[in-house]
Amino acid sequence: MTKWSTESAAWRGYLAAALACGITALAGFALLPVLEPTNIAMLFLLAVVAVAWRHGRGPAVMAAVLGVALFDLFFVAPQFSFAVSDVQYLVTFAVMLLVGLLIGQLMAGLKAHAEDASRREQRMAGLYAVSRELSAALQPQQVADIGQRFLQEELALPSLLLVPDAQGSLQPLAGDQAALDAGLAQWAFDHAAPAGAGTDTLPGAGSLVLPLTATMGVRGVLAVACGAAPAPEARRLLDTCASLLALSLERIHYVEVAQRTTLEIESERLRNSLLSAISHDLRTPLAGLVGLADTLDLPAPATAGPGAAARHRSTQAQAIRSAARRMAALVDNLLDMARLQAGGVQLRLAWMPLDEVIGSALAACAGPLAGRPVQVHLPDELPLLHLDAVLFERVLVNLFENAAKYTPPGSALVLRAEARPAEVLLTVDDHGPGLPAGQEARLFEKFERGQKESATPGVGLGLAICRAIVQAHGGRISAGHHGQGARFAILLPRGTPPPDDGSGQPLSTVYDHAA
């Protein structure tokens, strides 16, 4: 508010006091036939109260003095004269003036307290709103924007938030560059003390710099272009705002630290799992391959019959082939998981019967499933499914190989399918020791194995690949128990197959889209 507007408001208050007293005098003339002069004096006191509440202390004092004068002039004999015929009226004037001044003082004080309380309430509401916004901020830039907007709305002061870089030099985030004094801001940051207007350090500066001191250190500085030392209430508000900004910056810092730590822990876990898999499941076949290659150079025993050398080489070749296939399967799992997570796999979807995919998967697992009874129960009304046959066959192959590795030789394997209104349920049941209790969901994580230390080959990627492929088809896979072993359940959406046009062409038209 400018000086001219302040003076204009003060004169309006005094003018209002004079008008109030004049109106009270006119009302007293109208009521004089029915009221005693002492009661009319109460009307002037009521006018003093109204003026004090509306316009403050100065106009109230004027209303009290003017009310006594008008009461003497118009309502005390002799009328229209300040002479007093009855000395007792002097006591009335004195009491009336004293009471009017006292009431005016009290009412003005109450009004000032009410205005201060209202102002504090508004600022507390503003601070509460700012604290809520800061609690949701995820970046230092957002913190700077919130602080600048709050100080502009509450104090009409331009501000600038500065945070240190990796070398400790302050860098501005957001705000008015007019509030920036680089040297003053760096001093306040280095010494963790306020500087500038209203402080012991360069009090003549045109800006005030407050360090953003949090629990674990100084997170930056807040520069405010205030021109001169701010009022005590404004300074308290600035200190509170600086504390909120500091806590928000510290929270964001430790959130980033926690995220980096979690990422490092997860990376370390995956690296250890990968190294363990390589050292256990790749180094052992490699050592076997080296040993088998060395045995190829050895001559057949002299006591062996004809054709022993050929049989010897054939046996070693089969062993080398088996170890190489095992290594290739492990490497394929690693590469497939990397491609699936990178989104580099394109699904080639086709409408096709589920029994064909199951048959192909069983044929591919003829070796691991040798000697095991496999029961397949498929209903006649099973609908066509929109599948990538190659990838979904990989899901079933992984489940079959897991059953072969983790169940006793000769135990049965049961496949069932069930058509539901919107989905098709496929279950794979084995008759083994089952799954670790409480670990069913974790088995689908990368490098997760049912038994941490086990002689069973594998890197713990088979089920993770199954989940990624099933999810790419819009389905879900879960693990559980069926009373006699482990159960893996796959839910796939049914969809609406295209109608057969009678042309004899198969419905398995290929569609491409990203996994």
Side-chain angles (χ1 to χ4, degrees):
M1 184 179 290
T2 63
K3 180 178 179 181
W4 171 257
S5 60
T6 302
E7 292 178 352
S8 176
W11 279 112
R12 283 199 299 270
Y14 288 108
L15 180 60
L19 290 175
C21 291
I23 293 172
T24 303
L26 293 176
F29 270 117
L31 298 173
L32 189 58
V34 295
L35 293 179
E36 294 293 330
T38 53
N39 292 328
I40 294 176
M42 297 299 102
L43 297 178
F44 283 100
L45 292 180
L46 183 61
V48 173
V49 171
V51 171
W53 179 256
R54 184 67 180 85
H55 299 285
R57 184 177 292 105
V61 172
M62 176 181 173
V65 174
L66 187 58
V68 172
L70 292 177
F71 181 72
D72 181 21
L73 183 62
F74 295 112
F75 302 100
V76 176
Q79 288 182 322
F80 307 109
S81 172
F82 289 107
V84 179
S85 59
D86 191 347
V87 179
Q88 292 183 358
Y89 275 108
L90 295 177
V91 177
T92 302
F93 297 157
V95 172
M96 183 178 172
L97 180 61
L98 181 61
V99 171
L101 294 175
L102 181 60
I103 291 176
Q105 180 73 12
L106 292 176
M107 293 301 296
L110 287 175
K111 181 187 177 184
H113 286 304
E115 291 176 349
D116 290 342
S118 177
R119 246 187 335 265
R120 285 194 296 269
E121 180 185 3
Q122 292 176 357
R123 288 188 173 173
M124 287 299 296
L127 286 172
Y128 175 71
V130 166
S131 64
R132 289 185 59 184
E133 291 186 49
L134 291 175
S135 65
L138 300 177
Q139 297 178 351
Q141 183 67 47
Q142 293 175 307
V143 173
D145 293 337
I146 293 170
Q148 179 195 14
R149 185 172 64 253
F150 172 74
L151 293 178
Q152 185 65 40
E153 292 175 354
E154 293 294 331
L155 300 176
L157 294 177
S159 61
L160 182 66
L161 187 66
L162 301 98
V163 296
D165 56 15
Q167 290 74 34
S169 299
L170 292 176
Q171 303 296 329
L173 282 181
D176 192 339
Q177 295 292 333
L180 177 61
D181 186 334
L184 193 64
Q186 192 66 47
W187 185 95
F189 176 76
D190 294 337
H191 294 81
T199 67
D200 297 333
T201 304
L202 296 178
S207 61
L208 172 64
V209 181
L210 299 174
L212 303 181
T213 306
T215 306
M216 301 301 294
V218 181
R219 298 298 170 185
V221 296
L222 175 64
V224 181
C226 53
E233 185 178 356
R235 177 60 188 272
R236 286 193 296 271
L237 185 64
L238 289 172
D239 290 337
T240 303
C241 182
S243 299
L244 292 175
L245 296 176
L247 292 175
S248 296
L249 291 175
E250 186 170 71
R251 175 183 58 79
I252 292 174
H253 169 73
Y254 283 112
V255 166
E256 294 175 351
V257 170
Q259 290 175 342
R260 288 197 301 268
T261 304
T262 302
L263 182 60
E264 291 172 0
I265 292 174
E266 182 66 16
S267 299
E268 185 68 20
R269 187 184 72 83
L270 293 178
R271 182 174 62 182
N272 292 338
S273 300
L274 182 58
L275 291 176
S276 175
I278 291 175
S279 63
H280 181 273
D281 294 299
L282 292 182
R283 189 170 60 181
T284 301
L286 284 174
L289 287 174
V290 173
L292 292 171
D294 291 339
T295 60
L296 288 176
D297 291 334
L298 297 177
T303 59
R311 289 195 300 271
H312 173 70
R313 290 190 182 89
S314 176
T315 301
Q316 300 305 317
Q318 290 177 0
I320 291 174
R321 186 181 302 108
S322 176
R325 285 177 175 174
R326 176 180 165 190
M327 289 178 56
L330 295 176
V331 172
D332 286 343
N333 277 342
L334 291 171
L335 295 177
D336 287 346
M337 192 71 247
R339 283 196 296 266
L340 286 169
Q341 286 211 314
V345 176
Q346 299 289 327
L347 293 184
R348 297 181 62 82
L349 298 175
W351 291 100
M352 59 190 318
L354 184 60
D355 55 353
E356 291 186 6
V357 183
I358 295 176
S360 299
L362 289 173
C365 295
L369 295 179
R372 295 174 180 269
V374 179
Q375 304 174 18
V376 180
H377 303 283
L378 300 179
D380 295 335
E381 68 277 6
L382 198 64
L384 297 177
L385 294 177
H386 209 207
L387 301 176
D388 184 317
V390 175
L391 286 180
F392 197 76
E393 178 184 326
R394 183 64 179 277
V395 173
L396 298 178
V397 168
N398 284 346
L399 294 180
F400 296 158
E401 289 180 347
N402 272 358
K405 286 191 294 185
Y406 293 102
T407 58
S411 60
L413 191 66
V414 181
L415 279 76
R416 289 187 176 87
E418 176 188 345
R420 296 182 175 180
E423 296 172 317
V424 172
L425 172 65
L426 176 66
T427 58
V428 179
D429 297 342
D430 62 39
H431 292 77
L435 304 175
Q439 300 295 316
E440 293 85 352
R442 289 182 57 86
L443 293 177
F444 294 97
E445 300 294 333
K446 297 184 296 294
F447 302 108
E448 189 68 33
R449 304 183 67 186
Q451 299 175 359
K452 297 296 183 183
E453 300 295 335
S454 173
T456 305
V459 295
L461 284 177
L463 292 180
I465 292 173
C466 291
R467 182 176 66 174
I469 294 175
V470 171
Q471 289 179 347
H473 283 80
R476 305 186 302 277
I477 184 171
S478 60
H481 303 269
H482 66 94
Q484 299 177 347
R487 166 173 291 176
F488 290 89
I490 301 174
L491 281 171
L492 294 172
R494 289 186 58 159
T496 304
D500 189 354
D501 58 3
S503 62
Q505 297 295 328
L507 299 179
S508 55
T509 306
V510 175
Y511 302 94
D512 293 341
H513 70 82

